[in-house]
Amino acid sequence: MTDPADLTSDTDPEAYRETLEAKRAEKDQFFADHPQSPIPPEERSNFEGLEYFPPDPDYRVDATVSLVDDPEADPVAMETSAGREMRYLRVATLAFDLTRADPDLEDGRYELAAYSQDGGLETLFVPFRDKTTGQQSYRGGRYMELAVDGGLEDGDDLLVDFNLAYSPFCAFSETFDCPLPPEENWLEVAIPAGEKAPE
């Protein structure tokens, strides 16, 4: 099955929705049955599926990449849900426009920092908060993981799909310790896409 993250920004919207819905059903099955599910075993029989915002292709945006020259020079200590700190390296800034998704925005330009723990660019970790955080979506923020194929250079475009934003495992059980989005990734706009807060 095609992963929604592999589709381009001009993919047919209906085909995209079908692919996304199928992946969501697959994730629900994992959460309900798999031994590594974050749902506590005693609660799995009552699990009826994750809550999501409706699929919205307008929240799939092309972001312009600005690479950080020396990620090791300014490591980021992210607080965690258990009160610890985890060290990450800021490797890039992703600049994007949300005007298509929300035409009422006065200025639809936003930025998110992308991180990794080792400075690599193969997978970018993008934790964020937005105006849905603590209301429709999990109070600790949400995550995106962006796979990069074939290297990444300054000025490249990278597809950022907020429909794939997900709640960390600590949203489902306090046995997990999860990094919380640093303040530089607190967006002053609602992102009604991706996973909602667990019921």
Side-chain angles (χ1 to χ4, degrees), residues 51-108:
E51 295 290 325
Y52 293 95
F53 292 99
D56 189 342
D58 286 342
Y59 279 99
R60 305 177 76 234
V61 296
D62 288 319
T64 302
V65 176
S66 297
L67 296 179
V68 174
D69 290 334
D70 183 8
E72 291 280 0
D74 188 21
V76 178
M78 292 189 196
E79 293 184 23
T80 75
S81 55
R84 300 188 308 114
E85 286 188 347
M86 294 181 69
R87 180 180 181 272
Y88 281 84
L89 300 178
R90 185 188 302 103
V91 294
T93 299
L94 309 176
F96 52 92
D97 193 320
L98 291 176
T99 306
R100 188 177 67 177
D102 187 351
D104 293 332
L105 292 173
E106 289 186 17
D107 179 7

Side-chain angles (χ1 to χ4, degrees), residues 53-182:
F53 292 99
D56 189 342
D58 286 342
Y59 279 99
R60 305 177 76 234
V61 296
D62 288 319
T64 302
V65 176
S66 297
L67 296 179
V68 174
D69 290 334
D70 183 8
E72 291 280 0
D74 188 21
V76 178
M78 292 189 196
E79 293 184 23
T80 75
S81 55
R84 300 188 308 114
E85 286 188 347
M86 294 181 69
R87 180 180 181 272
Y88 281 84
L89 300 178
R90 185 188 302 103
V91 294
T93 299
L94 309 176
F96 52 92
D97 193 320
L98 291 176
T99 306
R100 188 177 67 177
D102 187 351
D104 293 332
L105 292 173
E106 289 186 17
D107 179 7
R109 297 290 296 174
Y110 295 92
E111 291 185 350
L112 285 171
Y115 309 89
S116 73
Q117 288 196 294
D118 60 4
L121 296 173
E122 294 80 15
T123 301
L124 305 183
F125 175 52
V126 184
F128 71 98
R129 293 170 59 102
D130 66 281
K131 290 294 188 181
T132 72
T133 301
Q135 299 179 64
Q136 297 112 308
S137 64
Y138 175 56
R139 58 183 169 80
R142 291 182 288 169
Y143 295 169
M144 291 185 290
E145 290 179 355
L146 311 180
V148 178
D149 294 324
L152 201 59
E153 297 183 2
D154 247 356
D156 281 353
D157 282 341
L158 185 65
L159 182 63
V160 175
D161 188 350
F162 287 99
N163 293 283
L164 302 180
Y166 65 94
S167 303
F169 276 10
C170 54
F172 305 95
S173 172
E174 293 182 356
T175 61
F176 296 95
D177 187 17
C178 308
L180 303 174

